[in-house]
Amino acid sequence: MNPQESVLKRQSANTGHFGLMLGGRILMGFGSTVIEGTQNKLFAHWFHGSQLGLAFGLDIAWNRITGIIARSTAVPLSNIDGWWGWALWIPTIVCAVNLCLVIVYWAFERAVPKTYRPVLGKEAYQREGWAKRKFPMKSLLEL
Protein backbone atom coordinates (compact mmCIF):
# COMPACT_ATOMS: atom_id res chain seq x y z
CA MET A 1 0.00 0.00 0.00
CA ASN A 2 1.58 3.28 -1.02
CA PRO A 3 0.91 6.48 0.94
CA GLN A 4 -0.83 8.36 -1.88
CA GLU A 5 -3.32 5.56 -2.47
CA SER A 6 -3.89 5.17 1.22
CA VAL A 7 -4.63 8.85 1.79
CA LEU A 8 -6.92 9.05 -1.28
CA LYS A 9 -8.97 6.07 -0.16
CA ARG A 10 -9.19 7.33 3.41
CA GLN A 11 -10.17 10.80 2.27
CA SER A 12 -13.04 9.20 0.38
CA ALA A 13 -14.29 7.95 3.76
CA ASN A 14 -14.41 11.55 4.98
CA THR A 15 -16.10 12.96 1.89
CA GLY A 16 -18.25 10.00 0.80
CA HIS A 17 -16.98 10.10 -2.82
CA PHE A 18 -16.76 6.66 -4.39
CA GLY A 19 -14.77 8.01 -7.36
CA LEU A 20 -12.00 9.17 -5.04
CA MET A 21 -11.73 5.70 -3.55
CA LEU A 22 -11.69 4.14 -7.01
CA GLY A 23 -8.85 6.50 -8.01
CA GLY A 24 -6.92 5.43 -4.94
CA ARG A 25 -7.34 1.76 -5.85
CA ILE A 26 -6.07 2.41 -9.38
CA LEU A 27 -3.07 4.27 -7.99
CA MET A 28 -2.44 1.35 -5.64
CA GLY A 29 -2.25 -0.99 -8.62
CA PHE A 30 0.63 0.98 -10.10
CA GLY A 31 2.42 1.36 -6.78
CA SER A 32 2.11 -2.23 -5.63
CA THR A 33 3.70 -3.52 -8.82
CA VAL A 34 6.75 -1.31 -8.32
CA ILE A 35 6.96 -2.19 -4.63
CA GLU A 36 6.89 -5.95 -5.32
CA GLY A 37 9.71 -5.71 -7.86
CA THR A 38 11.82 -3.51 -5.62
CA GLN A 39 11.24 -5.72 -2.60
CA ASN A 40 12.26 -8.85 -4.50
CA LYS A 41 15.44 -7.17 -5.72
CA LEU A 42 16.36 -6.15 -2.18
CA PHE A 43 15.70 -9.66 -0.88
CA ALA A 44 17.90 -11.13 -3.62
CA HIS A 45 20.68 -8.66 -2.77
CA TRP A 46 20.77 -9.17 1.00
CA PHE A 47 19.95 -12.90 1.17
CA HIS A 48 21.24 -15.95 -0.71
CA GLY A 49 20.29 -19.62 -0.93
CA SER A 50 18.06 -20.92 1.82
CA GLN A 51 18.15 -17.52 3.53
CA LEU A 52 16.49 -16.05 0.43
CA GLY A 53 13.78 -18.70 0.62
CA LEU A 54 13.27 -17.90 4.30
CA ALA A 55 13.01 -14.16 3.53
CA PHE A 56 10.38 -14.78 0.85
CA GLY A 57 8.52 -17.18 3.14
CA LEU A 58 8.48 -14.69 6.01
CA ASP A 59 7.29 -11.97 3.66
CA ILE A 60 4.40 -14.07 2.38
CA ALA A 61 3.48 -15.19 5.90
CA TRP A 62 3.58 -11.63 7.22
CA ASN A 63 1.37 -10.41 4.37
CA ARG A 64 -1.17 -13.14 5.13
CA ILE A 65 -1.11 -12.43 8.87
CA THR A 66 -1.60 -8.70 8.42
CA GLY A 67 -4.44 -9.37 5.97
CA ILE A 68 -6.21 -11.55 8.52
CA ILE A 69 -5.68 -8.99 11.28
CA ALA A 70 -6.96 -6.19 9.05
CA ARG A 71 -10.12 -8.09 8.16
CA SER A 72 -10.83 -9.21 11.72
CA THR A 73 -10.34 -5.75 13.24
CA ALA A 74 -12.30 -3.70 10.69
CA VAL A 75 -15.60 -3.89 12.58
CA PRO A 76 -14.12 -3.17 16.05
CA LEU A 77 -12.20 -0.22 14.59
CA SER A 78 -15.37 1.12 13.02
CA ASN A 79 -16.96 1.15 16.49
CA ILE A 80 -14.51 3.82 17.68
CA ASP A 81 -16.66 6.94 18.04
CA GLY A 82 -19.28 5.25 15.86
CA TRP A 83 -17.46 6.25 12.64
CA TRP A 84 -16.44 3.59 10.14
CA GLY A 85 -13.61 5.73 8.72
CA TRP A 86 -11.26 4.66 11.52
CA ALA A 87 -11.07 1.23 9.91
CA LEU A 88 -9.45 3.02 6.96
CA TRP A 89 -7.42 5.72 8.71
CA ILE A 90 -5.56 3.51 11.20
CA PRO A 91 -3.95 1.44 8.40
CA THR A 92 -3.04 4.75 6.74
CA ILE A 93 -1.18 5.80 9.87
CA VAL A 94 0.61 2.43 9.90
CA CYS A 95 1.50 3.02 6.24
CA ALA A 96 3.02 6.41 7.14
CA VAL A 97 5.12 4.74 9.86
CA ASN A 98 6.25 2.20 7.26
CA LEU A 99 7.26 5.06 4.95
CA CYS A 100 9.40 6.46 7.77
CA LEU A 101 11.07 3.06 8.15
CA VAL A 102 11.81 3.02 4.41
CA ILE A 103 13.48 6.41 4.73
CA VAL A 104 15.56 5.10 7.64
CA TYR A 105 16.60 2.11 5.49
CA TRP A 106 17.49 4.44 2.63
CA ALA A 107 19.71 6.46 4.98
CA PHE A 108 21.28 3.24 6.28
CA GLU A 109 21.98 2.04 2.76
CA ARG A 110 23.74 5.31 1.94
CA ALA A 111 25.99 4.79 4.98
CA VAL A 112 27.00 1.29 3.79
CA PRO A 113 30.18 1.23 1.65
CA LYS A 114 29.38 1.34 -2.06
CA THR A 115 30.71 -2.17 -2.70
CA TYR A 116 27.99 -3.63 -0.45
CA ARG A 117 25.07 -1.60 -1.81
CA PRO A 118 22.55 -3.15 -4.21
CA VAL A 119 23.36 -2.35 -7.82
CA LEU A 120 20.74 -0.22 -9.53
CA GLY A 121 19.80 0.94 -13.01
CA LYS A 122 22.45 1.05 -15.71
CA GLU A 123 25.11 -0.23 -13.33
CA ALA A 124 23.07 -3.40 -12.72
CA TYR A 125 22.45 -3.77 -16.44
CA GLN A 126 26.18 -3.72 -17.13
CA ARG A 127 27.42 -5.66 -14.09
CA GLU A 128 24.87 -8.47 -14.31
CA GLY A 129 25.40 -8.93 -18.05
CA TRP A 130 21.86 -8.30 -19.27
CA ALA A 131 23.18 -6.95 -22.58
CA LYS A 132 24.53 -10.43 -23.41
CA ARG A 133 21.29 -12.25 -22.60
CA LYS A 134 18.99 -12.82 -25.51
CA PHE A 135 15.55 -14.39 -25.58
CA PRO A 136 14.85 -16.08 -28.88
CA MET A 137 11.24 -15.58 -29.94
CA LYS A 138 11.41 -19.00 -31.61
CA SER A 139 11.44 -20.62 -28.17
CA LEU A 140 7.83 -19.47 -27.65
CA LEU A 141 6.74 -21.77 -30.44
CA GLU A 142 8.31 -24.73 -28.63
CA LEU A 143 5.98 -24.29 -25.66
Side-chain angles (χ1 to χ4, degrees):
M1 180 182 308
N2 61 20
Q4 298 87 359
E5 170 268 335
S6 185
V7 169
L8 279 178
K9 280 177 37 182
R10 284 21 168 202
Q11 191 61 27
S12 71
N14 291 351
T15 60
H17 287 99
F18 180 73
L20 189 60
M21 184 172 73
L22 187 61
R25 293 294 292 179
I26 292 170
L27 189 60
M28 183 185 90
F30 294 128
S32 65
T33 303
V34 172
I35 288 171
E36 285 293 322
T38 304
Q39 186 178 12
N40 292 343
K41 184 165 178 67
L42 283 175
F43 284 164
H45 174 76
W46 290 110
F47 303 104
H48 300 285
S50 62
Q51 293 176 348
L52 179 61
L54 178 65
F56 279 122
L58 288 174
D59 179 52
I60 292 168
W62 181 250
N63 286 336
R64 299 281 169 95
I65 290 169
T66 56
I68 291 169
I69 291 171
R71 287 184 191 95
S72 65
T73 58
V75 173
L77 288 175
S78 67
N79 291 332
I80 299 173
D81 295 334
W83 183 55
W84 61 271
W86 282 113
L88 299 175
W89 275 106
I90 290 176
T92 302
I93 294 167
V94 172
C95 184
V97 170
N98 188 26
L99 178 63
C100 292
L101 290 174
V102 168
I103 291 170
V104 167
Y105 173 77
W106 177 80
F108 163 74
E109 192 177 88
R110 294 297 162 242
V112 171
K114 194 165 184 143
T115 57
Y116 297 111
R117 291 184 198 169
V119 290
L120 305 171
K122 288 182 181 178
E123 183 182 344
Y125 184 79
Q126 293 168 352
R127 187 188 290 182
E128 295 173 2
W130 284 98
K132 298 175 189 170
R133 297 180 187 180
K134 301 279 187 205
F135 180 77
M137 296 304 275
K138 188 178 182 182
S139 66
L140 289 175
L141 297 174
E142 295 173 8
L143 296 175

